[in-house]
Amino acid sequence: MVLRSVGSLVARRPHVLTIAPATVDPALRLAVEAELGRRRWPVADSPADTDVVLVLGTPGPRLGGVVRAVWAGVPAPRVLTTVPTTGVVRSVLDDAAAALVDPHGRKASLLSPDDSNDALLPGGTGPEAQMADLAFYDRDGLALDALHVALGPVLPHWPAGLVVHATLAGDLITDARAEVLDVPASVGPGSRGRSPLGPDRTRLDILTRVFGLLGADHLAVRARRLRDQDPAPGDLTAFGRRLRRNRPLRWAVRGVPLVGGPVEERTLEQRVANLAGGLGGSLAPPVRPTAEKAVGALVGLELGAARLALAAMDPDTTLGAGPVAAHTPEEVTHQHH
């Protein structure tokens, strides 16, 4: 009875964790995000904060292992379900809300028994994230732990299917390598893709994720609504001007370099300004780098800045990356002040 009452309360506005493969249809992802926004269902920050695990499309074996690991950390009442096509988005979410009231925690059958279990848990809590050694020194000469972590693939506003194998010295990324789960081979070094969404929707899609990470919810909601509607060019231009005049926004993205040439812009501030300035115009869609180039640009950034930079660069994970071999203790090098 208590669980049913809790489920009834949760079902009104369940926290949803979406998991998508790199090859997910962009139209499906946008349809799900639009419907979640219409219902005002919050995005879950972690498995512990999750009520509904929503898998978009069909996950490959490695991402299937991630789904299993995430599901194991979700407390009851909980629902695990999949959205195969855009035509069933509303019915799937309706069923998920109804299932939360079920005291038995009903879930959809999703993964086969032979799926891989070598999962990388969200936030880099997989087996590769447990190894540390004294390897780096800060400016005061104090030794810092060099921690090898796997970031992704299930994080809010994170590129689909991407895992960043990073070495951290404190909060600073000192090495980073890209892997796209179930899409191992990159098309080629320096390959760049363009989003199938079109110029304005691509810019708004990127800005929605950047604003979400910044906690600028009002800007994120406005950008998402414009992305999901068919606004007049004047509305887009006005929104772009508003963003370019927004001093708190400029301050929030200032001082983050985009090194290595993954995109045309040299800084995150320039990237956001160009995304905003291109709204409603006739410019081509922004260039999307490969996962390798985007992740390579994260070296030297702190974790928070790295997530913002990655969202703004919007790497094309359909091109693939990796696989990346696990770190071993012998790989840890010692650098001195």
Side-chain angles (χ1 to χ4, degrees), residues 28-121:
L28 175 58
R29 176 176 64 83
L30 265 60
V32 169
E33 291 179 3
E35 183 62 20
L36 292 175
R38 188 186 70 82
R39 297 175 184 233
R40 298 185 179 180
W41 287 9
V43 175
D45 294 325
S46 67
D49 182 47
T50 298
D51 304 306
V52 176
V53 177
L54 201 62
V55 182
L56 311 189
T58 304
R62 294 207 64 203
L63 189 61
V66 172
V67 175
R68 287 182 180 275
V70 168
W71 178 246
V74 177
R78 59 182 186 166
V79 172
L80 169 63
T81 189
T82 182
V83 187
T85 63
T86 57
V88 298
V89 171
R90 290 192 177 186
S91 62
V92 167
L93 295 182
D94 288 341
D95 290 345
L100 283 172
V101 185
D102 186 342
H104 301 293
R106 186 181 67 195
K107 70 183 182 72
S109 176
L110 179 62
L111 300 173
S112 60
D114 59 349
D115 276 325
S116 171
N117 282 312
D118 60 346
L120 300 171
L121 298 181

Coordinates of all heavy atoms in Angstrom, one line a residue, residues 28-121:
L28 N 13.7 10.9 -33.5 CA 13.2 10.2 -32.3 C 13.6 10.8 -31.0 O 12.8 11.1 -30.1 CB 13.6 8.7 -32.3 CG 13.3 7.9 -31.1 CD1 11.8 7.8 -30.9 CD2 13.8 6.4 -31.2
R29 N 14.9 11.2 -30.9 CA 15.4 11.9 -29.7 C 14.6 13.2 -29.5 O 14.2 13.5 -28.4 CB 16.9 12.1 -29.9 CG 17.4 12.9 -28.7 CD 18.9 13.1 -28.8 NE 19.3 13.9 -29.9 CZ 19.4 15.2 -30.0 NH1 19.0 15.9 -28.9 NH2 19.8 15.9 -31.0
L30 N 14.5 14.0 -30.5 CA 13.8 15.3 -30.4 C 12.3 15.1 -30.0 O 11.8 15.9 -29.2 CB 13.9 16.1 -31.7 CG 15.1 17.1 -31.7 CD1 16.4 16.4 -31.5 CD2 15.1 17.9 -33.0
A31 N 11.7 14.0 -30.6 CA 10.3 13.8 -30.3 C 10.1 13.4 -28.8 O 9.2 13.9 -28.1 CB 9.7 12.7 -31.2
V32 N 11.0 12.6 -28.3 CA 11.0 12.3 -26.9 C 11.2 13.5 -26.0 O 10.5 13.7 -25.0 CB 12.0 11.1 -26.6 CG1 12.1 10.9 -25.1 CG2 11.6 9.8 -27.2
E33 N 12.2 14.3 -26.3 CA 12.5 15.5 -25.5 C 11.4 16.4 -25.5 O 11.0 17.1 -24.5 CB 13.8 16.1 -26.0 CG 15.1 15.3 -25.7 CD 16.3 16.0 -26.3 OE1 16.2 17.1 -26.8 OE2 17.4 15.4 -26.2
A34 N 10.7 16.6 -26.7 CA 9.6 17.5 -26.8 C 8.4 17.1 -25.9 O 7.8 17.9 -25.2 CB 9.2 17.7 -28.2
E35 N 8.2 15.8 -25.9 CA 7.0 15.2 -25.2 C 7.3 15.3 -23.7 O 6.4 15.6 -22.9 CB 6.7 13.8 -25.6 CG 5.5 13.2 -24.9 CD 4.2 13.9 -25.2 OE1 4.1 14.7 -26.2 OE2 3.3 13.8 -24.4
L36 N 8.6 15.0 -23.3 CA 8.9 15.1 -21.9 C 8.8 16.6 -21.4 O 8.4 16.9 -20.3 CB 10.4 14.6 -21.6 CG 10.6 13.1 -21.8 CD1 12.1 12.8 -21.7 CD2 9.8 12.3 -20.8
G37 N 9.2 17.5 -22.3 CA 9.1 18.9 -21.9 C 7.6 19.3 -21.8 O 7.2 20.1 -20.9
R38 N 6.8 18.8 -22.7 CA 5.3 19.2 -22.7 C 4.7 18.7 -21.4 O 3.9 19.3 -20.8 CB 4.6 18.5 -23.9 CG 3.2 19.0 -24.0 CD 2.5 18.2 -25.1 NE 2.3 16.8 -24.8 CZ 1.3 16.4 -24.1 NH1 0.4 17.2 -23.6 NH2 1.1 15.1 -23.8
R39 N 5.1 17.5 -20.9 CA 4.6 16.9 -19.7 C 5.3 17.5 -18.4 O 4.9 17.2 -17.3 CB 4.8 15.4 -19.7 CG 4.0 14.7 -20.8 CD 4.3 13.2 -20.8 NE 3.6 12.6 -21.9 CZ 2.8 11.5 -21.8 NH1 2.6 10.9 -20.6 NH2 2.3 11.0 -22.9
R40 N 6.4 18.2 -18.6 CA 7.2 18.8 -17.5 C 7.7 17.7 -16.6 O 7.8 17.8 -15.4 CB 6.4 19.8 -16.7 CG 5.9 21.0 -17.5 CD 5.2 22.0 -16.7 NE 4.9 23.2 -17.5 CZ 4.2 24.3 -17.0 NH1 3.9 24.3 -15.7 NH2 3.9 25.3 -17.8
W41 N 8.1 16.6 -17.3 CA 8.8 15.5 -16.5 C 10.3 15.9 -16.4 O 11.0 16.1 -17.4 CB 8.6 14.2 -17.2 CG 7.2 13.6 -17.1 CD1 6.1 14.3 -16.7 CD2 6.8 12.3 -17.5 NE1 5.0 13.4 -16.7 CE2 5.4 12.2 -17.3 CE3 7.5 11.2 -18.1 CZ2 4.7 11.1 -17.5 CZ3 6.7 10.1 -18.4 CH2 5.4 10.0 -18.1
P42 N 10.8 15.9 -15.2 CA 12.2 16.4 -15.0 C 13.2 15.3 -15.6 O 12.9 14.1 -15.6 CB 12.4 16.5 -13.5 CG 11.0 16.5 -13.0 CD 10.1 15.7 -13.9
V43 N 14.4 15.8 -15.9 CA 15.5 14.9 -16.3 C 16.2 14.5 -15.1 O 16.5 15.2 -14.2 CB 16.5 15.7 -17.2 CG1 17.7 14.8 -17.6 CG2 15.8 16.1 -18.5
A44 N 16.4 13.2 -15.0 CA 17.1 12.6 -13.8 C 18.6 12.9 -13.9 O 19.2 12.8 -15.0 CB 16.9 11.1 -13.7
D45 N 19.2 13.1 -12.8 CA 20.7 13.4 -12.7 C 21.5 12.2 -12.6 O 22.7 12.2 -12.9 CB 21.0 14.4 -11.6 CG 20.4 15.8 -11.8 OD1 20.3 16.2 -13.0 OD2 20.0 16.4 -10.8
S46 N 20.9 11.1 -12.0 CA 21.6 9.9 -11.7 C 20.6 8.7 -11.6 O 19.4 9.0 -11.5 CB 22.4 10.0 -10.5 OG 21.5 10.1 -9.3
P47 N 21.1 7.5 -11.6 CA 20.2 6.4 -11.4 C 19.4 6.5 -10.1 O 18.2 6.1 -10.0 CB 21.1 5.1 -11.4 CG 22.2 5.6 -12.3 CD 22.4 7.0 -12.0
A48 N 20.1 6.9 -9.1 CA 19.4 7.0 -7.8 C 18.2 8.1 -7.8 O 17.3 8.0 -7.0 CB 20.4 7.4 -6.7
D49 N 18.3 9.0 -8.7 CA 17.3 10.0 -8.9 C 16.2 9.7 -9.9 O 15.4 10.5 -10.2 CB 17.9 11.3 -9.2 CG 17.0 12.5 -9.3 OD1 16.2 12.7 -8.4 OD2 17.0 13.3 -10.3
T50 N 16.3 8.4 -10.4 CA 15.5 8.0 -11.6 C 14.2 7.3 -11.2 O 14.2 6.4 -10.3 CB 16.3 7.2 -12.5 OG1 17.4 8.0 -13.0 CG2 15.5 6.7 -13.7
D51 N 13.1 7.6 -11.9 CA 11.9 6.8 -11.8 C 11.7 6.0 -13.1 O 11.2 4.8 -13.0 CB 10.7 7.7 -11.6 CG 10.9 8.6 -10.4 OD1 11.2 8.0 -9.3 OD2 10.8 9.8 -10.5
V52 N 12.0 6.6 -14.2 CA 11.8 5.9 -15.5 C 13.1 5.9 -16.3 O 13.7 7.0 -16.5 CB 10.7 6.6 -16.4 CG1 10.5 5.9 -17.7 CG2 9.4 6.6 -15.6
V53 N 13.5 4.7 -16.7 CA 14.7 4.6 -17.6 C 14.1 4.4 -19.0 O 13.4 3.4 -19.3 CB 15.6 3.4 -17.2 CG1 16.7 3.2 -18.2 CG2 16.1 3.6 -15.8
L54 N 14.4 5.3 -19.9 CA 13.8 5.3 -21.2 C 14.9 5.1 -22.2 O 15.8 5.9 -22.4 CB 13.1 6.7 -21.5 CG 12.1 6.8 -22.5 CD1 10.9 5.9 -22.2 CD2 11.6 8.3 -22.6
V55 N 14.9 4.0 -22.9 CA 15.9 3.6 -23.9 C 15.3 3.9 -25.3 O 14.3 3.5 -25.7 CB 16.3 2.1 -23.8 CG1 17.4 1.8 -24.8 CG2 16.7 1.8 -22.4
L56 N 16.1 4.8 -26.1 CA 15.6 5.2 -27.4 C 16.2 4.2 -28.4 O 17.5 4.0 -28.4 CB 16.1 6.6 -27.7 CG 15.7 7.7 -26.6 CD1 16.0 9.1 -27.1 CD2 14.3 7.5 -26.1
G57 N 15.4 3.7 -29.3 CA 15.9 2.9 -30.4 C 16.3 1.5 -29.8 O 15.8 1.0 -28.8
T58 N 17.3 0.9 -30.5 CA 17.8 -0.4 -30.1 C 19.3 -0.3 -29.7 O 20.1 0.0 -30.5 CB 17.7 -1.4 -31.3 OG1 16.3 -1.4 -31.7 CG2 18.1 -2.8 -30.8
P59 N 19.6 -0.6 -28.4 CA 21.0 -0.5 -28.0 C 21.8 -1.7 -28.5 O 21.3 -2.8 -28.6 CB 20.9 -0.5 -26.4 CG 19.6 -1.2 -26.2 CD 18.7 -0.9 -27.3
G60 N 23.1 -1.4 -28.7 CA 24.0 -2.5 -29.0 C 24.4 -3.3 -27.8 O 24.0 -2.9 -26.7
P61 N 25.2 -4.3 -27.9 CA 25.6 -5.1 -26.7 C 26.3 -4.4 -25.6 O 26.0 -4.6 -24.5 CB 26.5 -6.2 -27.3 CG 26.9 -5.7 -28.6 CD 25.8 -4.8 -29.2
R62 N 27.2 -3.4 -26.0 CA 27.9 -2.7 -24.9 C 27.0 -1.7 -24.2 O 27.0 -1.6 -23.0 CB 29.1 -2.0 -25.5 CG 30.2 -3.0 -26.0 CD 31.6 -2.4 -25.9 NE 32.0 -2.2 -24.5 CZ 32.9 -1.3 -24.2 NH1 33.5 -0.6 -25.1 NH2 33.2 -1.1 -22.9
L63 N 26.2 -1.0 -25.0 CA 25.2 -0.1 -24.4 C 24.2 -0.8 -23.6 O 23.7 -0.4 -22.6 CB 24.6 0.8 -25.5 CG 23.8 2.0 -24.9 CD1 24.6 2.9 -24.1 CD2 23.1 2.8 -26.0
G64 N 23.8 -2.0 -24.1 CA 22.9 -2.9 -23.4 C 23.5 -3.2 -22.0 O 22.7 -3.2 -21.0
G65 N 24.8 -3.4 -21.9 CA 25.4 -3.6 -20.6 C 25.2 -2.4 -19.7 O 25.1 -2.5 -18.5
V66 N 25.4 -1.2 -20.3 CA 25.2 0.0 -19.5 C 23.8 0.1 -19.0 O 23.5 0.5 -17.8 CB 25.5 1.2 -20.4 CG1 25.2 2.5 -19.7 CG2 27.0 1.2 -20.8
V67 N 22.8 -0.2 -19.8 CA 21.4 -0.2 -19.4 C 21.2 -1.1 -18.2 O 20.5 -0.7 -17.2 CB 20.5 -0.5 -20.5 CG1 19.0 -0.6 -20.1 CG2 20.6 0.5 -21.7
R68 N 21.8 -2.3 -18.3 CA 21.6 -3.2 -17.1 C 22.2 -2.6 -15.9 O 21.6 -2.7 -14.8 CB 22.4 -4.5 -17.5 CG 21.7 -5.4 -18.5 CD 22.5 -6.7 -18.7 NE 21.9 -7.6 -19.6 CZ 21.0 -8.5 -19.4 NH1 20.5 -8.6 -18.1 NH2 20.5 -9.3 -20.3
A69 N 23.4 -2.0 -16.0 CA 24.0 -1.4 -14.8 C 23.3 -0.3 -14.2 O 23.1 -0.1 -13.0 CB 25.5 -1.0 -15.2
V70 N 22.7 0.6 -15.1 CA 21.9 1.7 -14.7 C 20.7 1.2 -13.9 O 20.3 1.7 -12.9 CB 21.6 2.6 -15.8 CG1 20.5 3.6 -15.4 CG2 22.8 3.3 -16.4
W71 N 20.0 0.2 -14.6 CA 18.8 -0.3 -14.0 C 19.0 -0.9 -12.6 O 18.1 -0.7 -11.7 CB 18.2 -1.4 -14.9 CG 16.9 -2.0 -14.5 CD1 16.8 -3.3 -14.1 CD2 15.7 -1.4 -14.3 NE1 15.5 -3.5 -13.7 CE2 14.8 -2.4 -13.8 CE3 15.2 -0.1 -14.5 CZ2 13.4 -2.1 -13.6 CZ3 13.9 0.2 -14.2 CH2 13.0 -0.8 -13.8
A72 N 20.1 -1.5 -12.4 CA 20.4 -2.1 -11.1 C 20.5 -1.0 -10.0 O 20.3 -1.3 -8.8 CB 21.7 -2.9 -11.1
G73 N 20.8 0.2 -10.4 CA 20.9 1.3 -9.4 C 19.7 2.2 -9.2 O 19.7 3.2 -8.5
V74 N 18.6 1.8 -9.9 CA 17.4 2.6 -9.8 C 16.5 2.1 -8.7 O 16.1 0.9 -8.7 CB 16.6 2.6 -11.2 CG1 15.3 3.4 -11.0 CG2 17.5 3.2 -12.2
P75 N 16.1 2.9 -7.7 CA 15.2 2.4 -6.6 C 13.8 2.3 -7.1 O 13.3 2.9 -8.0 CB 15.4 3.5 -5.6 CG 15.7 4.7 -6.3 CD 16.5 4.3 -7.5
A76 N 13.0 1.4 -6.4 CA 11.6 1.2 -6.7 C 10.9 2.4 -6.0 O 11.3 3.0 -5.0 CB 11.1 -0.1 -6.1
P77 N 9.7 2.7 -6.6 CA 9.1 2.2 -7.8 C 9.8 2.7 -9.0 O 10.3 3.8 -9.1 CB 7.7 2.8 -7.7 CG 7.8 4.0 -7.0 CD 8.9 3.8 -5.9
R78 N 9.9 1.8 -10.0 CA 10.7 2.1 -11.2 C 10.2 1.5 -12.4 O 9.4 0.5 -12.3 CB 12.2 1.7 -11.0 CG 12.3 0.2 -10.7 CD 13.7 -0.3 -10.5 NE 13.7 -1.8 -10.3 CZ 14.9 -2.5 -10.4 NH1 16.0 -1.8 -10.5 NH2 14.8 -3.8 -10.3
V79 N 10.5 2.0 -13.6 CA 10.0 1.5 -14.9 C 11.2 1.5 -15.9 O 11.9 2.6 -15.9 CB 8.8 2.2 -15.4 CG1 8.5 1.8 -16.8 CG2 7.6 2.1 -14.5
L80 N 11.4 0.5 -16.6 CA 12.4 0.4 -17.7 C 11.6 0.1 -19.0 O 10.9 -0.9 -19.0 CB 13.4 -0.7 -17.4 CG 14.3 -1.0 -18.6 CD1 15.2 0.1 -19.0 CD2 15.2 -2.2 -18.2
T81 N 11.7 0.9 -20.0 CA 11.0 0.7 -21.2 C 11.8 1.3 -22.4 O 12.8 2.0 -22.2 CB 9.6 1.3 -21.1 OG1 8.8 0.9 -22.2 CG2 9.7 2.9 -21.1
T82 N 11.3 1.0 -23.6 CA 12.0 1.4 -24.8 C 11.1 2.1 -25.7 O 9.9 1.8 -25.7 CB 12.7 0.2 -25.5 OG1 13.4 0.7 -26.6 CG2 11.6 -0.8 -25.9
V83 N 11.6 3.1 -26.5 CA 10.8 3.8 -27.5 C 11.4 3.5 -28.8 O 12.5 4.1 -29.2 CB 10.8 5.3 -27.2 CG1 9.9 6.0 -28.2 CG2 10.5 5.7 -25.8
P84 N 10.8 2.6 -29.6 CA 11.4 2.2 -30.9 C 11.2 3.3 -32.0 O 12.1 3.4 -32.9 CB 10.7 0.9 -31.2 CG 9.4 1.0 -30.5 CD 9.6 1.8 -29.3
T85 N 10.1 4.0 -32.0 CA 9.8 4.9 -33.1 C 9.1 6.1 -32.6 O 8.5 6.1 -31.5 CB 8.9 4.2 -34.2 OG1 7.6 3.9 -33.5 CG2 9.5 3.0 -34.7
T86 N 9.0 7.2 -33.4 CA 8.4 8.4 -33.0 C 6.9 8.3 -32.8 O 6.3 9.0 -32.0 CB 8.7 9.5 -34.0 OG1 8.2 9.1 -35.3 CG2 10.1 9.8 -34.1
G87 N 6.3 7.3 -33.5 CA 4.8 7.2 -33.4 C 4.3 6.7 -32.1 O 3.1 6.8 -31.9
V88 N 5.1 6.1 -31.3 CA 4.7 5.5 -30.0 C 5.1 6.3 -28.8 O 5.0 5.8 -27.7 CB 5.1 4.0 -29.9 CG1 4.5 3.2 -31.1 CG2 6.6 3.9 -29.9
V89 N 5.7 7.5 -29.0 CA 6.3 8.2 -27.8 C 5.3 8.4 -26.7 O 5.5 8.1 -25.6 CB 6.9 9.5 -28.3 CG1 7.4 10.4 -27.1 CG2 8.1 9.3 -29.2
R90 N 4.1 9.0 -27.1 CA 3.1 9.3 -26.1 C 2.6 8.1 -25.4 O 2.4 8.1 -24.2 CB 2.0 10.1 -26.7 CG 2.4 11.5 -27.2 CD 1.2 12.4 -27.5 NE 1.6 13.7 -27.9 CZ 0.7 14.7 -28.1 NH1 -0.6 14.5 -28.0 NH2 1.1 15.9 -28.4
S91 N 2.3 7.0 -26.2 CA 1.7 5.8 -25.5 C 2.7 5.2 -24.6 O 2.4 4.7 -23.5 CB 1.3 4.9 -26.6 OG 2.4 4.4 -27.4
V92 N 4.0 5.2 -25.0 CA 5.0 4.6 -24.1 C 5.1 5.4 -22.8 O 5.2 4.8 -21.7 CB 6.4 4.6 -24.8 CG1 7.5 4.3 -23.8 CG2 6.4 3.5 -25.9
L93 N 5.1 6.7 -22.9 CA 5.2 7.5 -21.6 C 3.9 7.3 -20.8 O 4.0 7.3 -19.6 CB 5.4 9.0 -22.0 CG 6.8 9.3 -22.7 CD1 6.9 10.7 -22.9 CD2 7.9 8.7 -21.8
D94 N 2.8 7.2 -21.4 CA 1.5 7.0 -20.7 C 1.6 5.6 -19.9 O 1.2 5.5 -18.8 CB 0.3 6.9 -21.7 CG 0.0 8.3 -22.2 OD1 0.4 9.3 -21.6 OD2 -0.7 8.4 -23.2
D95 N 2.1 4.6 -20.6 CA 2.3 3.3 -20.0 C 3.3 3.3 -18.9 O 3.1 2.7 -17.8 CB 2.7 2.3 -21.0 CG 1.6 2.0 -22.0 OD1 0.4 2.3 -21.8 OD2 1.9 1.4 -23.1
A96 N 4.3 4.1 -19.0 CA 5.3 4.2 -18.0 C 4.8 4.8 -16.7 O 5.0 4.4 -15.6 CB 6.5 5.0 -18.5
A97 N 4.0 5.9 -16.9 CA 3.3 6.6 -15.7 C 2.4 5.6 -15.0 O 2.3 5.6 -13.8 CB 2.6 7.8 -16.2
A98 N 1.6 4.8 -15.8 CA 0.7 3.9 -15.2 C 1.5 2.8 -14.5 O 1.0 2.3 -13.4 CB -0.2 3.3 -16.3
A99 N 2.6 2.3 -15.1 CA 3.3 1.2 -14.4 C 4.0 1.6 -13.1 O 4.2 0.8 -12.3 CB 4.4 0.8 -15.4
L100 N 4.2 2.9 -12.9 CA 4.8 3.4 -11.7 C 3.9 3.1 -10.5 O 4.3 3.0 -9.3 CB 5.2 4.9 -11.7 CG 6.5 5.2 -12.5 CD1 6.6 6.7 -12.7 CD2 7.7 4.6 -11.8
V101 N 2.6 3.1 -10.8 CA 1.6 2.8 -9.7 C 1.6 1.4 -9.3 O 1.1 1.0 -8.3 CB 0.2 3.3 -10.1 CG1 -0.8 3.2 -9.0 CG2 0.3 4.8 -10.6
D102 N 2.1 0.5 -10.2 CA 2.1 -0.9 -10.0 C 3.1 -1.3 -8.8 O 4.3 -1.0 -8.9 CB 2.6 -1.7 -11.2 CG 2.5 -3.2 -11.1 OD1 2.4 -3.7 -10.0 OD2 2.5 -3.8 -12.2
P103 N 2.6 -1.8 -7.7 CA 3.5 -2.1 -6.6 C 4.6 -3.1 -6.9 O 5.6 -3.2 -6.2 CB 2.6 -2.6 -5.5 CG 1.4 -3.1 -6.2 CD 1.3 -2.3 -7.5
H104 N 4.5 -3.9 -8.0 CA 5.5 -4.9 -8.4 C 6.6 -4.3 -9.2 O 7.4 -5.0 -9.7 CB 4.8 -6.0 -9.1 CG 3.7 -6.7 -8.2 ND1 4.0 -7.4 -7.1 CD2 2.4 -6.8 -8.4 CE1 2.9 -7.9 -6.5 NE2 1.9 -7.5 -7.3
G105 N 6.5 -3.0 -9.5 CA 7.6 -2.4 -10.3 C 7.7 -2.9 -11.7 O 8.8 -3.3 -12.2
R106 N 6.5 -3.1 -12.4 CA 6.5 -3.7 -13.7 C 7.5 -3.0 -14.7 O 7.6 -1.8 -14.7 CB 5.1 -3.6 -14.3 CG 4.9 -4.3 -15.6 CD 3.5 -4.1 -16.1 NE 3.2 -2.7 -16.4 CZ 2.0 -2.2 -16.6 NH1 0.9 -3.0 -16.4 NH2 1.8 -1.0 -16.9
K107 N 8.2 -3.7 -15.5 CA 9.1 -3.1 -16.5 C 9.0 -3.9 -17.8 O 8.5 -5.0 -17.9 CB 10.5 -3.2 -16.0 CG 11.2 -4.5 -16.0 CD 12.6 -4.4 -15.4 CE 13.3 -5.8 -15.4 NZ 13.6 -6.3 -16.7
A108 N 9.4 -3.2 -18.9 CA 9.3 -3.9 -20.2 C 10.5 -4.8 -20.4 O 11.6 -4.5 -19.9 CB 9.3 -2.8 -21.3
S109 N 10.3 -5.9 -21.1 CA 11.4 -6.8 -21.5 C 12.3 -6.1 -22.5 O 11.8 -5.7 -23.6 CB 10.9 -8.1 -22.0 OG 11.9 -8.9 -22.4
L110 N 13.5 -5.9 -22.2 CA 14.4 -5.1 -23.1 C 15.6 -5.8 -23.6 O 16.0 -5.8 -24.8 CB 14.7 -3.8 -22.4 CG 15.6 -2.8 -23.2 CD1 14.9 -2.4 -24.4 CD2 16.0 -1.7 -22.3
L111 N 16.4 -6.5 -22.7 CA 17.7 -7.0 -23.0 C 17.7 -8.5 -23.0 O 17.1 -9.1 -22.1 CB 18.7 -6.5 -22.0 CG 18.8 -4.9 -21.9 CD1 19.8 -4.5 -20.8 CD2 19.4 -4.4 -23.2
S112 N 18.4 -9.1 -23.9 CA 18.5 -10.5 -23.9 C 19.6 -11.0 -22.9 O 20.5 -10.2 -22.5 CB 19.0 -11.0 -25.3 OG 20.2 -10.4 -25.7
P113 N 19.5 -12.2 -22.5 CA 20.4 -12.7 -21.4 C 21.9 -12.7 -21.8 O 22.7 -12.7 -20.9 CB 19.9 -14.2 -21.2 CG 18.5 -14.2 -21.7 CD 18.5 -13.2 -22.8
D114 N 22.2 -12.7 -23.1 CA 23.6 -12.8 -23.5 C 24.2 -11.5 -23.8 O 25.3 -11.4 -24.3 CB 23.8 -13.7 -24.7 CG 23.0 -13.2 -25.9 OD1 22.1 -12.3 -25.7 OD2 23.2 -13.7 -27.0
D115 N 23.5 -10.4 -23.4 CA 24.1 -9.0 -23.6 C 25.3 -8.9 -22.7 O 25.4 -9.5 -21.6 CB 23.1 -7.9 -23.2 CG 22.2 -7.6 -24.4 OD1 22.6 -7.7 -25.5 OD2 21.0 -7.3 -24.1
S116 N 26.3 -8.1 -23.2 CA 27.5 -7.9 -22.5 C 27.2 -7.2 -21.2 O 26.4 -6.3 -21.1 CB 28.5 -7.0 -23.3 OG 29.6 -6.7 -22.6
N117 N 28.0 -7.5 -20.1 CA 27.8 -6.9 -18.8 C 29.1 -6.1 -18.5 O 29.2 -5.6 -17.3 CB 27.6 -7.9 -17.7 CG 26.2 -8.4 -17.7 OD1 25.2 -7.6 -17.8 ND2 26.0 -9.7 -17.7
D118 N 30.0 -5.8 -19.4 CA 31.2 -5.0 -19.1 C 30.9 -3.6 -19.2 O 31.4 -2.8 -19.9 CB 32.3 -5.4 -20.0 CG 32.0 -5.2 -21.5 OD1 30.8 -5.0 -21.8 OD2 33.0 -5.2 -22.3
A119 N 29.9 -3.2 -18.4 CA 29.3 -1.8 -18.6 C 30.2 -0.8 -17.9 O 30.9 -1.0 -16.9 CB 27.9 -1.8 -17.9
L120 N 30.1 0.4 -18.5 CA 30.7 1.6 -17.9 C 29.5 2.4 -17.3 O 28.6 2.9 -17.9 CB 31.4 2.5 -19.0 CG 32.5 1.8 -19.7 CD1 32.9 2.7 -20.9 CD2 33.7 1.5 -18.8
L121 N 29.5 2.5 -16.0 CA 28.4 3.1 -15.3 C 28.5 4.6 -15.5 O 29.5 5.2 -15.7 CB 28.5 2.8 -13.8 CG 28.4 1.3 -13.4 CD1 28.4 1.2 -11.9 CD2 27.1 0.7 -14.0

